[in-house]
Structure formats: structure tokens, C-alpha cells
Amino acid sequence: MGSTSSGRPVDARDRDSEGRARNARPRDGLGRPLPYGADGVARQPEGVVRPPEETVAEAQRLLDAGRPFHAHEVFEDAWKSRPAQERELWRGLAQLAVGLTHAARGNATGGGRLLRRGAGAVTQWASSAGGRQRPYGMDLPHVVAWARELADEVERDGRAVDPGARAPRLRG
């Protein structure tokens, strides 16, 4: 079998160990695909079920390291594995991480929208959860304020942000 100019085998589909279609292209630290054969950043393992406190700690570690795309994947695992009454919280946090990813890539429109959408989802979850503001030690009012302030900044300035320097403090 030959290969394309990108280095990918002709007529081959990227598949994971269970046979599901999955893009195996390497990615940079912000999750952007790189050409086949390029050195990329190790991907975050998917489908990992963690206790909520461990999810928060791992996501914070990745955010602090300037890897919001990878933090999004940690939040996405929680979104898919936690009880139904918590899923909106984790989905909102995943949207915030993707919003920071887009802001870091210089996509002011997408970054601002996702930061606002995630802030709205987190706020809505807190309201529907009896006003819970500190689930698993997270300071939700602080996180929501961070997201809205960053959304204002990226929409106003239109410049890429340093994701590590602009990472939220999930626990305040």
C-alpha cells in the first residue's frame, strides 16, 4: 500500500484499538492537527473515569501547563461518566476549556462564544443544583467571572492569549 504526500497510508482509516474511527494525526499543544509523521504532543487518554476531585486537579494541572484542549478532554470524560444531575456542570467546564483553546489559537469569535456558553451552562447548573457554588472545591462564581472577563477581552482585542498565563483557578 502506498502513502499520500502527508505520510498517511492510502485507503487506510485511522482506528483506535477497538476499531472505532479516530484521527491519529499528531496534534500540537492546543489540539491542532499536525502532518502525519510530525512530532506532536501526547494526547490525553480518553474515557478515563476519575473521582470528581481528581478530575478537577488533573484539569487544573493541564490548564496551568497551557494545555486547555487536553483539560477539555478531562472534563469531557467527567461529563460522560458522572451522574445525569452533574453532566451540565462538566459540559460547561469543558466548553470553558475549549473557549480558552480557541482564544489561545487567536479565534476571538469562537473563543468568546464558547467562554460565554460555558459560563452560562455552569451558572445554570449551579442554579438548578440548589445554588451550589463550590462543588468539589471549585469556586464557580470565580470561574464564571473569569470566563466572562476573558470573553470580553478576546472579543475586544482580537489577539491570541497565552493559555497558561490566562488559565482559570478552578478552586479560586
Side-chain angles (χ1 to χ4, degrees):
M1 177 182 312
S3 65
T4 66
S5 61
S6 68
R8 180 174 181 229
V10 174
D11 296 330
R13 287 192 73 186
D14 297 334
R15 301 230 177 242
D16 66 15
S17 62
E18 296 175 11
R20 291 183 301 238
R22 179 179 160 111
N23 189 327
R25 283 176 63 183
R27 295 186 177 265
D28 71 7
L30 292 174
R32 292 175 288 218
L34 298 170
Y36 285 95
D39 289 331
V41 173
R43 294 180 88 151
Q44 194 66 26
E46 291 183 35
V48 177
V49 177
R50 300 171 183 86
E53 292 82 1
E54 189 179 317
T55 295
V56 174
E58 178 65 5
Q60 186 69 69
R61 182 186 72 75
L62 291 163
L63 289 164
D64 291 345
R67 296 176 64 192
F69 178 80
H70 297 82
H72 140 265
E73 292 177 334
V74 170
F75 286 135
E76 190 172 90
D77 286 341
W79 167 17
K80 293 177 180 178
S81 66
R82 298 297 302 153
Q85 65 268 25
E86 289 186 13
R87 290 193 183 137
E88 188 69 9
L89 168 64
W90 301 110
R91 184 176 71 85
L93 293 168
Q95 289 173 329
L96 293 176
V98 172
L100 179 55
T101 300
H102 282 283
R105 291 175 178 175
N107 176 358
T109 301
R113 284 183 185 158
L114 281 161
L115 287 162
R116 291 186 196 290
R117 188 178 307 151
V122 169
T123 299
Q124 183 176 349
W125 178 86
S127 295
S128 69
R132 278 181 75 188
Q133 301 296 313
R134 294 198 61 90
Y136 310 113
M138 289 184 286
D139 183 344
L140 297 185
H142 172 79
V143 171
V144 167
W146 162 85
R148 290 183 174 145
E149 288 170 16
L150 184 58
D152 288 345
E153 178 186 324
V154 299
E155 290 170 347
R156 179 185 64 244
D157 298 344
R159 290 189 305 266
V161 301
D162 177 335
R166 298 310 306 270
R169 302 302 314 153
L170 299 173
R171 292 190 165 131

